């Protein structure tokens, strides 16, 4: 079977914005009396803005402490801080090997797709000067369910006419790996082997420098 598409997560796969999300949520958590650490933060990776806030409130025993309007204000406050951190992003912030991989994919006419839970994805891709290298960016509001449901990945494959079992998905989050596997795709994890293997990753790399078209083809063909 031929590799038909590569479907990428964005935050923590294309660039280091997973860290910015952590910094921004952590500050909001401190402001509302819910401190948390990196271990808890693993539960937020790949999860939408609204659902992340719910998880943080639940974690702090404050699930019922805010009205919907107040929750919207909290999520907006987090996003404003996050957006201010994005201001410093330049094309130099693309993770190692990613631009090269995208260029190889384009040369071979294999679509690259973004399946991110983030509404900030288009802006980040522009700041990194990568927008032209992706055939399609799935809008998180266009699918019924976020990660770990397969919807974002399945939509990405469908939009470029690829069969799920001929796609590779690349993710740094446990919820994302689960989403790729339930979409019936091959899952490449970027990060900690034990965590991502336990979520079902077929292969885990410590960082993006080991990604190449040859490597991804080897997983499918
Ligand atoms: C995911 C991140 O990609 O996007 C999450 O892993 C984040 O941490 C989610 O909460 C939503 O992002 P945004 O930019 O729409 O708030
Ligand atoms: Mg991610």
């Amino acid at each position: 079977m031929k590799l038909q598409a590569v479907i990428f997560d964005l935050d923590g796969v294309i660039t280091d914005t997973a860290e910015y999300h952590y910094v921004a949520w952590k500050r909001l958590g401190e402001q509302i009396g819910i401190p948390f650490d990196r271990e808890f933060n693993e539960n937020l990776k790949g999860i939408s803005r609204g659902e992340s806030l719910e998880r943080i409130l639940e974690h702090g025993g404050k699930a019922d402490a805010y009205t919907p309007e107040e929750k919207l204000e909290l999520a907006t406050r987090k996003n404003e801080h996050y957006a201010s951190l994005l201001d410093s992003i330049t094309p130099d912030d693309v993770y190692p090997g990613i631009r090269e991989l995208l260029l190889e994919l384009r040369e071979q006419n294999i679509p690259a797709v973004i399946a991110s839970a983030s509404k900030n994805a288009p802006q980040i891709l522009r700041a990194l000067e990568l927008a032209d290298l992706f055939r399609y960016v799935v809008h998180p509001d266009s699918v019924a369910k976020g990660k770990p449901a397969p919807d974002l990945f399945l939509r990405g494959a469908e939009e470029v006419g690829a069969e799920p079992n001929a796609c590779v998905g690349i993710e740094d989050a446990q919820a994302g790996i689960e989403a790729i596997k339930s979409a019936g795709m091959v899952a490449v994890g970027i990060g900690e082997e034990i965590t991502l293997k336990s979520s079902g990753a077929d292969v885990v790399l410590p960082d993006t420098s080991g990604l190449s078209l040859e490597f991804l083809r080897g997983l499918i063909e």
Side-chain angles (χ1 to χ4, degrees):
M1 194 168 35
K2 291 267 179 218
L3 175 65
Q4 292 180 6
V6 181
I7 309 195
F8 296 79
D9 173 44
L10 187 148
D11 299 308
V13 168
I14 302 293
T15 188
D16 198 21
T17 38
E19 183 65 16
Y20 297 178
H21 279 295
Y22 173 59
V23 168
W25 279 127
K26 192 168 169 57
R27 182 160 94 180
L28 183 82
E30 281 158 6
Q31 287 170 346
I32 60 175
I34 308 178
F36 62 84
D37 57 15
R38 282 184 186 275
E39 197 187 331
F40 174 75
N41 186 59
E42 289 303 311
N43 301 309
L44 305 180
K45 287 187 179 173
I47 305 301
S48 74
R49 198 180 304 168
E51 176 61 21
S52 294
L53 177 63
E54 296 292 346
R55 290 186 182 196
I56 291 168
L57 295 176
E58 175 108 11
H59 178 66
K62 295 190 178 183
D64 300 318
Y66 296 95
T67 64
E69 292 74 25
E70 287 167 337
K71 285 181 188 174
L72 189 61
E73 189 278 316
L74 293 175
T76 304
R77 203 197 299 172
K78 179 269 175 177
N79 190 56
E80 282 168 358
H81 180 201
Y82 176 69
S84 75
L85 299 173
L86 293 181
D87 281 347
S88 63
I89 287 189
T90 75
D92 289 342
D93 294 314
V94 178
Y95 271 160
I98 293 291
R99 192 182 302 276
E100 294 76 5
L101 171 59
L102 291 168
L103 289 168
E104 277 187 289
L105 289 169
R106 183 167 73 178
E107 205 177 286
Q108 298 296 317
N109 203 24
I110 298 168
V113 174
I114 289 280
S116 168
S118 173
K119 298 179 189 184
N120 290 294
Q123 179 198 334
I124 295 169
L125 294 174
R126 279 195 300 274
L128 295 172
E129 294 179 8
L130 288 182
D132 291 348
L133 293 175
F134 288 96
R135 192 81 61 88
Y136 192 77
V137 178
V138 181
H139 194 287
D141 288 346
S142 72
V143 296
K145 288 191 187 156
K147 302 169 190 179
D151 304 27
L152 284 160
F153 285 90
L154 289 174
R155 171 62 59 80
E158 190 190 330
E159 288 290 342
V160 297
E163 290 148 72
N165 64 352
C167 295
V168 174
I170 309 179
E171 264 286 353
D172 68 319
Q174 290 185 279
I177 295 289
E178 288 172 36
I180 296 170
K181 290 317 295 175
S182 51
M185 300 177 182
V186 172
V188 176
I190 302 295
E192 205 181 77
E193 174 138 29
I194 311 172
T195 326
L196 298 175
K197 274 270 168 79
S198 73
S199 298
D202 296 290
V203 54
V204 177
L205 301 173
D207 58 60
T208 55
S209 63
L211 291 172
S212 66
L213 179 54
E214 193 190 359
F215 174 77
L216 298 181
R217 274 191 165 141
L219 299 172
I220 293 256
E221 293 175 11

